[in-house]
Amino acid sequence: MVEKEGYLQKAKIADGGKKLRKNWATSWIVLSSGKIEFYKESKQQALSNMKSGYKPESVDLYGAHIEWAKEKSSRKNVFQITTVSGNEFLLQSDIDFIILDWFHAIKNAIDRLPKD
Ligand code: I3P
């Protein structure tokens, strides 16, 4: 069940604990129970591309951490999600209420999951 979806700026900064070069891009983000999916395009485009085997990047929220990350970017309104597997994502919007809604939605989703 989809809980929230929309566009944010996204940068993946670590994969399995290994630092990546920061590369901000617009992403269509879909939050559902226990996971977030990042699509490169709009959901409509993504769904039509699925025929060609396109899969979104999927983030497992079990045991994940979310925190504001002012010091990780020159941009405003940035928070970070860190997964158990050591993947790190920054998410950002210039619009205050949009990023606040997302922060609380993801935090609530994480807090509702079993801790072990
Ligand atoms: C990065 C790019 C990012 C910037 C980052 C730069 O340069 O300008 O937008 O992050 O800053 O290193 P490049 O494209 O050459 O990799 P912010 O926009 O979040 O500040 P950083 O190195 O301080 O993270």
Side-chain angles (χ1 to χ4, degrees):
M1 193 198 75
V2 171
E3 295 180 16
K4 187 171 175 62
E5 51 190 338
Y7 290 105
L8 288 178
Q9 296 298 309
K10 174 209 153 203
K12 187 175 186 180
I13 57 167
D15 185 272
K18 189 173 170 286
K19 289 283 175 216
L20 298 176
R21 182 169 175 181
K22 191 196 275 169
N23 185 18
W24 287 105
T26 303
S27 184
W28 177 257
I29 298 179
V30 180
L31 172 66
S32 48
S33 49
K35 69 171 180 189
I36 296 175
E37 288 174 335
F38 294 124
Y39 293 85
K40 288 197 186 90
E41 326 94 331
S42 73
K43 194 184 187 184
Q44 287 78 358
Q45 285 169 306
L47 288 174
S48 63
N49 285 349
M50 266 177 198
K51 292 182 213 111
S52 54
Y54 174 82
K55 284 223 183 65
E57 180 167 31
S58 186
V59 177
D60 183 3
L61 291 180
Y62 284 84
H65 289 280
I66 183 170
E67 61 192 348
W68 293 104
K70 247 186 183 5
E71 73 290 353
K72 297 268 177 95
S73 175
S74 61
R75 299 179 176 211
K76 68 177 214 171
N77 296 343
V78 177
F79 65 77
Q80 177 171 335
I81 299 169
T82 306
T83 67
V84 168
S85 59
N87 293 344
E88 297 175 8
F89 301 91
L90 300 181
L91 295 175
Q92 189 266 345
S93 169
D94 284 339
I95 302 164
D96 296 1
F97 80 86
I98 289 180
I99 202 70
L100 277 171
D101 278 0
W102 272 104
F103 183 87
H104 292 298
I106 295 170
K107 191 174 181 351
N108 288 339
I110 292 172
D111 289 346
R112 271 187 272 115
L113 294 169
K115 294 290 176 283
D116 43 20

